[in-house]
Amino acid sequence: MPERRPFVRLPTDVYPVNYGLCLKPDLIDFTFEGKLEAAVEVVKSTNQIVMNCADIDIITASFAPEGGEDINATGFNYQNEDEKVTLSFPSALQKGSGMLKIDFVGELNDKMKGFYRSKYATPSGEIRFAAVTQFEATDARRAFPCWDEPALKATFDITLIVPKDRVALSNMNVIDRKRYPEDDSLLEVKFATTPIMSTYLVAFVIGEYDFVESQSSDGVTVRVYTPTGKAEQGKFSLEVATKTLPFYKDYFNVPYPLPKIDLIAIADFAAGAMENWGLVTYRETALLIDPKNSCSSSRQWVALVVGHELAHQWFGNLVTMEWWTHLWLNEGFASWIEYLCVDHCFPEYDIWTQFVSADYTRALDLDALDNSHPIEVNVGHPSEVDEIFDAISYSKGASVIRMLHNYIGDEDFRKGMNTYLMKFQHKNASTEDLWDCLEQASGKPIAAVMSSWIKQMGFPIIVVDQEQQGEDRVLKISQKKFCASGPHKGEGCPNWMVPISICTSEDPSCTKLNVLLDISETTVTISNIGPDQWVKINPGTVGFYRIQYSPIMLDSLLPGIRDLTLQPVDRLGLQNDLFSLSRAGMVSTVGVLKVMEAFVNEPNYTVWSDLSCNLGVLSSLLSHTDFHEEIQEFIRDLFTPIGQRLGWDSKEGEGHLDALLRGLVLGKLGKAGHQPTLEEARRRFKDHVDGKQLLSADLRSPVYLTVLKHGDSATLETMLKLHRQADMQEEKNRIERVLGAISAPDLIQKVLTFALSEEVRPQDTVSVIGGVAGSSKQGRKAAWKFVRDNWEELHNRYQGGFLISRLIKLSVDGFAVDKMASEVKVRIMQGADQP
């Protein structure tokens, strides 16, 4: 791989104060014209100005010192590789204020980054294009020449010249709208001046949309923009956003700083959503909810994404990281607080238990691998950001912040957060700045504790043994690095500063004792505890570590699973730790299956969801062996009683979690070939397709999955027809995600070809291929071969964005073979070489 030149940040001799920006997109030819008038400050005399610029042609550029004449630039030197342009002037620009004027043209690309075009169909079926933006991390420079670094903040005055029948939006509210003098069919739309902000948070959208509107209790106008004719589908997000803004205002004790906020659904969108200040963009599936056709998990997903993006309006937008190295903090924090917000809006979701399954255990699994990385990675070239942005940044980031919040306590945590936001508002900060504020608020050694979790990869396994001495219980506690490949053997085992809490059967939800383990082992005494009481480490499953109990301690905890005296989150954690230890070869798998059998009375959705995940892993590990049928039988036996209790149809008084559990259990039984479930799924599927009795949204995924898994080419044809007929993106995605379940090799090929067809939106191709890879041994091989054979098209399509790294992760996940690992390496190296 050729070494790339060392990355250099922009020179600091000229910096922007205000960008006056006027853009005129052409929605037919996919180009745009731009005029920039930037108020700048020359800090030291220079005859050149260096800015970021990519895929833009500058036509003219000039500089006028305050009160002086225009000086025309005599040369534009583009450094394409560095995405920079150097403007040269005939004489030195003197220290002081001035105005930089640039006229330029650019392209409305189809790469889902910068200022790009997004395809949509009007209600009558005509294909049209909207012009939209996605700038994070470094693509504002594709829309206008700028100082595209997060610390170079300025204010923005934006004007858009657009067809008069289109909606035009930007970060701020519209202050003026008038006919464009040169063309009657166009309008000139001028927006209010923004606060001081980073370039990556600037946004504009020009297209056709309907909206629903409301006011939050603190007077902010909230709008949700939807595709034309679907305003109804914006109501749920509107309700969440309207509740969320005042919640964050209270939590941070800092008001939302803009007069309005818009949330808008964009048809072609690479990420889940983007927190542009005052104009948050979303995939349709992350924002739109149809009262009849959306399932419970979609509602929950939308609530979390809305909560996440709105948290950034403070944490990220008002205070921004100094450089991309600290991005994990921005994302980890928002990924933690989105749960706090949803718990506030929807207490019935039991969302914190779900956090443990969705983020915490996922992060533990990834972080135990030898190829993990620390949460905080030094970023030089911002193009590295896409590679670094992964579940470690988001999920481990969120998990250690949850542990930190628990260690500090809510009151001091909020006090520290408020200090941080007040001190750095409209400025930039680093991770250490937050630790300082939290340390002042709590008087605890935050920086020291956190650096062991942020700066080194991995986490400890806490080994616990106990001895009863009279009325006291003496615990021996030690830590060592946990590795998925078995016990850590290397020299110099790292240590963590581990906040450890302990509870007893007297009150399983209440911590009896806290210790900070900062050495490799220690003993702890719990007094006044009888020999028949159990002791549990890490109540609430908050500490980011795994636990290995002595056999006697473990046995004493099992009744707590059966009789449900342990909290759901701790029942889940116990089982997850054990499963993970068995994968690492530290305890026997048979023992783990025994523990799983103790869950036969389990009522909690998330606990079942985690069990189901682990059994799925086991099933795929055993798909290479003779035991595959045995594990299917085990799954059928474990899930049949709960399946019978729930039945197929929702009952009076059931809620959100019952719906999620029913979908999970039926899908699991169907996939494992439970005959009665399979027959009923086929019957209901037929009624659904014939229009006799539509499946409720919550039953669609499990039914689709079951009939496909045990289906033939006719089943696949029917699914593709349903896909074509679906009006909602959610339903299209629901089908795309399960298509991979089909088992015949020729049909697997058909699904893969479909993934790259016009019928699948570019951002969703990844989940179709991932679905094939995740479904079976054959699927995994076929998906990997398909990615290899179509590498150029895929690479071209995603241009090194994070979708391509997600694709590689999905199609490689689960290979149990070294030869394949080396193949994967080679392929990725080649990909990196291609322009």
Side-chain angles (χ1 to χ4, degrees), residues 77-114:
N77 179 12
Y78 298 96
Q79 293 101 331
N80 288 339
E81 183 143 328
D82 298 335
E83 303 184 338
K84 288 176 185 167
V85 65
T86 302
L87 308 176
S88 308
F89 294 89
S91 58
L93 312 178
Q94 297 308 309
K95 242 176 86 162
S97 308
M99 186 64 79
L100 174 68
K101 295 181 188 158
I102 303 180
D103 288 2
F104 58 94
V105 291
E107 172 199 15
L108 284 178
N109 70 66
D110 58 355
K111 301 283 185 265
M112 294 191 278
K113 61 184 188 182

Side-chain angles (χ1 to χ4, degrees), residues 646-672:
L646 287 163
W648 278 80
D649 298 302
S650 54
K651 302 172 190 58
E652 195 60 43
E654 280 188 349
H656 176 79
L657 293 161
D658 301 293
L660 292 180
L661 181 56
R662 177 173 290 109
L664 173 81
V665 170
L666 292 173
K668 200 71 181 170
L669 284 168
K671 203 173 166 189

